[in-house]
Amino acid sequence: MTLLFESAPAALDLTDIVESAADALEEASAEEIVRWSIATFGDRICVTSSMKDAVLVDIASKVRPGIDVLFVDTGYHFAETVGTRDAVEAVYPVNVVNVTPSRTVAEQERDLGPRLNGRNPDLCCHLRKVEPLNRALEPYLAWITGIRREETSHRRGARVVEWNAARGKVKVNPLARWTQTQLEGYIEEHGILVNPLQYDGYPSIGCEPCTKQVAPGEDPRSGRWAGTGKTECGINI
């Protein structure tokens, strides 16, 4: 596929790039989408990963070894998630950037009281996920995510390239069209690192206090903020 742009000039309205690219790349492969985004934004693009698996990391690192991979370390992650982060850093040719909130867990509990995640999960997510990621994304013009349309109703409308008005940046979703079957096939074919919690009843993995095991046949996202009606942490909105 011919790339739409060789670079993103400062004077060019990024929304123009988004509209053209979203249409042109809708049927492109994930690798083609990643190649376009890296060719367009160069060093001003990064990957974000929850360390559920390393599929996106694998694809991006093959296109641009050394690419920045941002991981938001909330202080509440499962040990397995932190271990997956460490394994990704050791195995793949990427620069893992550990992003942390402005307050430690102890400082947050001191200032706002214990178990904020249970009393006000939206605020907890904002303080420990959204704000840190917003700060970490400041140097970049765009970022690459692993969200897929079939994951939640909110994500069904995700385009492979989007303008994120809240952050004033381009959001690239190369796996948007992928099904769970495609994802699992790529993992098996390429021997991709996977968070071991996925094999223990956690198909969707968030912070430990807010994530529970899911029974076979249940909605994979039902273990996140169970019983609260909450479905997103705010990072991908």
Side-chain angles (χ1 to χ4, degrees), residues 81-136:
T81 301
V82 175
T84 302
R85 176 204 63 193
D86 294 344
V88 164
E89 187 172 30
V91 170
Y92 296 92
V94 295
N95 178 40
V96 174
V97 179
N98 201 59
V99 178
T100 57
S102 59
R103 285 182 279 201
T104 65
V105 170
E107 289 169 341
Q108 177 173 294
E109 292 186 348
R110 177 199 66 199
D111 297 341
L112 301 175
R115 298 182 296 279
L116 181 63
N117 59 284
R119 295 182 288 107
N120 192 336
D122 287 338
L123 178 57
C124 192
C125 284
H126 183 77
L127 294 175
R128 309 211 67 78
K129 292 185 177 182
V130 179
E131 279 190 354
L133 182 61
N134 286 348
R135 290 195 302 272

Side-chain angles (χ1 to χ4, degrees), residues 158-172:
R159 305 190 77 186
V160 295
V161 182
E162 302 177 320
W163 173 248
N164 186 265
R167 294 186 172 112
K169 300 180 188 298
V170 177
K171 181 179 179 184
V172 183

